[in-house]
Amino acid sequence: MTTNQIGCEDCAFHNVNSLKKLGVDTSDTDYVIALAGNPNTGKSTVFNALTGLRQHTGNWPGKTVVRAEGGYLYDDKKYKLIDLPGTYSLLSTSQDEEVARNFILFGKPDVTIIVVDASRLERNLNLVLQILEITGKAVLCLNLIDEAERHNIKIDERELAKNLGIPVVATIARTQQGIPELLSTIRDVAIGKIICKPRKVKSLSASLEESVNQLAKKIEEQFPGLPNSRWVAFRLLEGDERITEAVLNNELKELV
Amino acid sequence: MNKNTDNSIVQLASELRWKLGDNFHDKLTEGIYTDASLIAAQAVEEHGKKRNYTLDSKIDKIVTSKKWGFPIMIGILSVILWITITGANYPSGLLFNLLIDTLYPALKSLAAKIGMVWWLDGLLIDGIYLAVAWVVSVMLPPMAIFFPLFTLLEDFGYLPRVAFNMDALFKKTGAHGKQALTMSMGWGCNAAGVIATRIIDSPRERLIAIITNNFSLCNGRWPTQILIATIFIGALVPASLSGAVASLSVIGIALLGVAFMFLTSWMLSTTVLKGEVSTFTLELPPYRPPRFWQTIYTSVIDRTLIVLWRAVVFAAPAGAVIWLVSNVHIGNLTLADQLIGWLNPFGVFVGLNGIILLAYIIAIPANEIIIPTILMLTVANLNLVGVGSGNGVMFELDSNLDTANVLMAGGWTVLTGVNLMLFSLLHNPCSTTIYTIYQETKSIKWTTVASILPIIMGFVVTFLVTQFWHIFIG
């Protein structure tokens, strides 16, 4: 988890500035929640189930290319939900992936919901692992469990939660099944009742691991307490201009 | 923000990048994949080890096969168009009765009662109200049918199969396979299609997709195509066949648009936008039974009403402009007559006429009002007696036959009809799309190319068709 004190993250004004920069109106909002996931996982359906909006949900990859926003009230707190573009990864140069990764990094959402297709878990996990390198405040929404069941797939949610270090909620967003549990889990992560221990990618080759650690250590020296120094290191090795800029103009300090 | 003078992090990063070699990206991806499969192996239990994807793959075997893929695609498109064309007639007539035959005279007499000045009455009711009423009654029914049908198809999961079928063709023209998706979006609305190109990661291929999206016949242009096809092409065959023949000729125009899209993509990718074709993975999602009523609801709210509102917003000022050019006099002639006179020689040269060109200039904001503008200008320009209600009054004639009579009186032939259909496909994008292209590319140069290129193609094509027509048909 981050080194922030619980009190800070609880506060309505926590990281308001960086969100405003990303074009999010945070007035009147207690928590900002990002919604990420592969295309075709029912992400937009989850968005609608949470917000009551009826955004059209298409059955083709790349439907949500623009960021959609909605909100809901839960336990007297106002949540703002940002629907990020559906992507398979956060590592390429396409605009939708850039939007998604920069929002999670620089926008510091209070919680990131990662929607995955239960019948295609392995492929979906690639994105999950990348997101967990950026943020630890995440909830895995294991959607479409009805389709998985039809394909004779059963998923051990507890095992999955243990391995990923974040709460897992099984849902069928189309019929609202699991949405109440999802709502309460989001709240628990937002208020710090659930503390996540996000899984970091382990199976890196020795030479890569060494370089990343060396770079991450140097980053932490300059930006003590940065929760995602490894991700920043990945991006710098990749030659990401936006991150290079954020290092050079000290913007990373705001992410501590 | 303070500038960080210490750039040792960035230096170290580039040193390490050099050391790691250029396969850093692959190594990282490999590590993530390994982790993912480890975690999945522990959490996923497959009963009977058998995935039940048989029905999906059976459907896919047919709809993405070399033999049946394209015929099924064209077949589905034809059925959707046919339902739209035949289904829209009746509600269109009802709306027309209400908005124009009943409400319009009522408004006029109300204006007369309160003694509204003639020019204000003309500008507001004959110009703005009629333009808006026309757009609503002509556009709403086909959209309310076309969009939900298209959306059902989308929800079912068919669109990625279309992309799959067309991928090889796109690759041959040097464009991105995902352009098939943005192209289909363009059939609904080009502005939406241009925004959808964000899913294409290479800037080169994205630019090709943006520039060529206009070749997808958009929703605003379908009604023009349908009306002209019914009047000029459907009339060439016996009445029992005319509906089918008209539908087929509209599909022909839409497919011609696809051909031009490929041609232009190829031209761009072999000249100014040279480069490698990037590969991508396209997931074929499972087929999902669409939730019928919710789809109808969301597509009416999301698409139909939004597109309709846009059309209304643009039609209102255009209605005012139409009324003004037909009522402002310069010398003995109205401004419209003057402009038509100037444009006519060039218009006739390319097989169109001055009225059509003026209508396209006035209707840049919205393609939807082309036909009423043409009719109105024709009647005013010829001073036909007994049709229409005065200069600059947009109107719809009670039947296609009346419309045909007006157009014939204006000197229209089957050739003019064919050329209008071609020009409606090949001309500049509407102003919303042009603005969206600028928003997406942030480049005046590419916005200009995307706007001018199709109109040049349009003139060349109608000119050539006219020459061939005169040689072979007379």
Side-chain angles (χ1 to χ4, degrees):
Chain A
M1 277 312 300
T2 69
T3 52
N4 278 1
Q5 286 166 345
I6 297 296
C8 289
E9 301 188 345
D10 233 8
C11 163
F13 296 101
H14 172 63
N15 97 55
V16 159
N17 282 332
S18 51
L19 281 166
K20 268 195 195 131
K21 240 180 273 157
L22 290 160
V24 179
D25 175 18
T26 46
S27 57
D28 244 18
T29 304
D30 293 307
Y31 300 110
V32 174
I33 314 293
L35 189 64
N38 282 22
N40 272 302
T41 50
K43 209 163 62 68
S44 300
T45 317
V46 172
F47 182 83
N48 288 346
L50 290 174
T51 59
L53 285 180
R54 302 233 157 82
Q55 194 193 31
H56 172 64
T57 56
N59 189 5
W60 55 279
K63 200 248 138 198
T64 315
V65 282
V66 213
R67 206 176 60 199
E69 292 178 19
Y72 64 89
L73 198 69
Y74 185 76
D75 254 13
D76 290 332
K77 295 280 185 193
K78 282 186 182 142
Y79 292 76
K80 179 157 234 165
L81 193 61
I82 315 285
D83 191 9
L84 298 175
T87 57
Y88 295 105
S89 93
L90 296 178
L91 300 174
S92 92
T93 49
S94 77
Q95 217 188 346
D96 46 353
E97 296 191 14
E98 202 180 306
V99 167
R101 70 167 170 258
N102 285 342
F103 187 84
I104 300 174
L105 181 64
F106 295 111
K108 288 204 293 177
D110 294 294
V111 183
T112 300
I113 309 169
I114 315 169
V115 184
V116 300
D117 176 349
S119 56
R120 289 168 165 72
L121 184 65
E122 182 175 335
R123 188 161 15 130
N124 282 227
L125 280 175
N126 295 315
L127 178 71
V128 177
L129 290 168
Q130 291 170 35
I131 292 175
L132 293 186
E133 289 285 343
I134 310 179
T135 175
K137 306 190 84 183
V139 175
L140 190 80
C141 170
L142 192 62
N143 196 27
L144 302 168
I145 48 167
D146 52 337
E147 268 180 29
E149 249 161 56
R150 260 211 313 285
H151 296 136
N152 299 322
I153 297 166
K154 210 183 159 316
I155 292 176
D156 186 341
E157 293 156 37
R158 294 183 57 181
E159 182 72 26
L160 190 60
K162 199 181 82 193
N163 275 327
L164 291 175
I166 56 170
V168 173
V169 182
T171 58
I172 308 171
R174 276 159 69 110
T175 62
Q176 299 274 330
Q177 192 181 313
I179 297 299
E181 290 83 351
L182 184 61
L183 283 168
S184 68
T185 312
I186 294 168
R187 179 204 51 202
D188 290 349
V189 173
I191 62 174
K193 198 171 153 195
I194 297 180
I195 303 285
C196 307
K197 290 194 185 65
R199 156 94 170 214
K200 302 290 173 189
V201 179
K202 290 173 184 164
S203 314
L204 298 177
S205 70
S207 63
L208 183 55
E209 183 77 46
E210 196 197 303
S211 307
V212 168
N213 286 343
Q214 195 185 337
L215 189 55
K217 214 177 123 200
K218 186 143 186 97
I219 294 167
E220 271 167 43
E221 273 168 25
Q222 198 169 340
F223 304 99
L226 186 74
N228 27 37
S229 53
R230 246 166 72 103
W231 175 257
V232 173
F234 286 144
R235 295 313 298 163
L236 287 176
L237 289 174
E238 184 84 45
D240 186 323
E241 284 170 20
R242 177 73 183 80
I243 302 289
T244 310
E245 188 197 308
V247 169
L248 289 178
N249 66 15
N250 263 335
E251 197 181 343
L252 283 185
K253 269 210 175 105
E254 292 174 26
L255 301 187
V256 174
Chain B
M1 213 167 294
N2 299 330
K3 182 100 178 104
N4 187 356
T5 43
D6 181 14
N7 62 355
S8 56
I9 294 179
V10 178
Q11 263 171 15
L12 178 64
S14 54
E15 269 167 39
L16 289 170
R17 198 183 312 139
W18 190 251
K19 211 175 84 189
L20 282 169
D22 52 6
N23 59 354
F24 159 75
H25 190 95
D26 295 340
K27 275 186 183 162
L28 175 59
T29 317
E30 218 178 276
I32 295 171
Y33 271 61
T34 315
D35 257 32
S37 78
L38 282 175
I39 298 171
Q42 283 176 39
V44 179
E45 224 180 285
E46 287 187 42
H47 292 293
K49 298 276 171 203
K50 221 181 159 188
R51 292 200 162 205
N52 202 358
Y53 290 129
T54 44
L55 183 63
D56 277 21
S57 55
K58 259 182 201 158
I59 301 177
D60 276 342
K61 232 177 216 162
I62 302 169
V63 301
T64 60
S65 70
K66 281 218 168 88
K67 197 170 164 194
W68 295 109
F70 278 90
I72 288 175
M73 256 160 48
I74 293 169
I76 289 178
L77 183 63
S78 312
V79 170
I80 289 184
L81 276 182
W82 182 78
I83 297 176
T84 309
I85 292 174
T86 34
N89 270 335
Y90 181 68
S92 248
L94 277 184
L95 279 173
F96 214 87
N97 252 323
L98 176 74
L99 293 176
I100 293 175
D101 291 347
T102 317
L103 214 55
Y104 169 68
L107 281 173
K108 284 295 271 186
S109 64
L110 183 75
K113 219 180 249 169
I114 60 169
M116 200 184 268
V117 223
W118 72 273
W119 57 266
L120 191 62
D121 160 272
L123 194 65
L124 288 181
I125 302 174
D126 296 335
I128 294 173
Y129 171 77
L130 272 188
V132 170
W134 207 94
V135 165
V136 170
S137 58
V138 168
M139 279 186 69
L140 183 59
M143 280 197 318
I145 300 173
F146 182 80
F147 278 149
L149 287 176
F150 197 77
T151 313
L152 283 173
L153 210 58
E154 202 182 314
D155 283 357
F156 180 58
Y158 184 66
L159 288 192
R161 275 80 187 178
V162 172
F164 183 87
N165 282 338
M166 302 186 84
D167 182 42
L169 279 175
F170 279 101
K171 213 167 254 169
K172 269 186 203 146
T173 61
H176 199 286
K178 281 189 192 166
Q179 198 176 318
L181 294 175
T182 62
M183 179 193 76
S184 336
M185 277 301 274
W187 283 332
C189 170
N190 292 135
V194 168
I195 293 176
T197 60
R198 292 183 190 173
I199 57 174
I200 297 171
D201 43 7
S202 120
R204 181 190 76 88
E205 287 153 335
R206 181 159 178 234
L207 207 48
I208 293 177
I210 289 177
I211 294 171
T212 57
N213 195 272
N214 185 45
F215 295 119
S216 293
L217 195 65
C218 75
N219 177 76
R221 293 182 271 172
W222 290 108
T224 310
Q225 298 287 352
I226 291 165
L227 186 68
I228 297 296
T230 314
I231 293 173
F232 286 99
I233 296 173
L236 296 176
V237 294
S240 57
L241 291 174
S242 67
V245 169
S247 308
L248 281 178
S249 58
V250 175
I251 289 157
I253 291 286
L255 292 178
L256 190 68
V258 176
F260 268 96
M261 189 264 310
F262 279 126
L263 179 72
T264 315
S265 301
W266 175 78
M267 272 167 34
L268 289 170
S269 68
T270 47
T271 55
V272 278
L273 289 172
K274 263 186 209 159
E276 289 290 305
V277 178
S278 51
T279 51
F280 69 107
T281 40
L282 180 74
E283 190 174 29
L284 294 181
Y287 290 104
R288 292 182 180 135
R291 279 157 307 160
F292 192 77
W293 291 111
Q294 202 189 336
T295 302
I296 303 286
Y297 175 84
T298 50
S299 72
V300 166
I301 297 292
D302 265 21
R303 294 199 166 152
T304 312
L305 290 185
I306 286 172
V307 175
L308 187 70
W309 173 242
R310 185 188 80 75
V312 166
V313 166
F314 282 112
V321 170
I322 291 168
W323 187 84
L324 282 175
V325 295
S326 318
N327 285 279
V328 173
H329 284 76
I330 298 179
N332 287 331
L333 294 170
T334 64
L335 189 54
D337 287 340
Q338 294 270 14
L339 292 171
I340 291 168
W342 289 336
L343 292 168
N344 207 43
F346 181 72
V348 171
F349 175 69
V350 293
L352 299 163
N353 60 42
I355 292 175
I356 296 178
L357 294 185
L358 180 60
Y360 268 97
I361 294 171
I362 294 176
I364 282 180
N367 283 305
E368 296 83 0
I369 53 172
I370 286 291
I371 289 292
T373 310
I374 287 174
L375 288 178
M376 189 277 300
L377 290 173
T378 306
V379 170
N381 190 241
L382 295 174
N383 285 319
L384 289 183
V385 185
V387 242
S389 334
N391 282 354
V393 181
M394 244 201 253
F395 62 96
E396 159 88 318
L397 299 150
D398 283 338
S399 71
N400 286 342
L401 197 66
D402 288 344
T403 312
N405 286 335
V406 170
L407 292 179
M408 304 289 182
W412 286 52
T413 59
V414 179
L415 174 63
T416 327
V418 170
N419 278 339
L420 177 61
M421 286 173 77
L422 289 169
F423 190 65
S424 162
L425 174 72
L426 304 168
H427 69 88
N428 54 291
C430 72
S431 52
T432 313
T433 307
I434 295 176
Y435 178 71
T436 311
I437 293 173
Y438 178 71
Q439 284 290 308
E440 295 296 314
T441 59
K442 293 279 177 228
S443 147
I444 293 179
K445 179 182 147 202
W446 290 115
T447 310
T448 313
V449 170
S451 310
I452 304 287
L453 190 69
I455 201 164
I456 293 174
M457 288 179 137
F459 285 138
V460 170
V461 167
T462 52
F463 173 76
L464 289 178
V465 167
T466 309
Q467 300 312 311
F468 279 106
W469 191 282
H470 288 323
I471 292 169
F472 293 107
I473 301 173

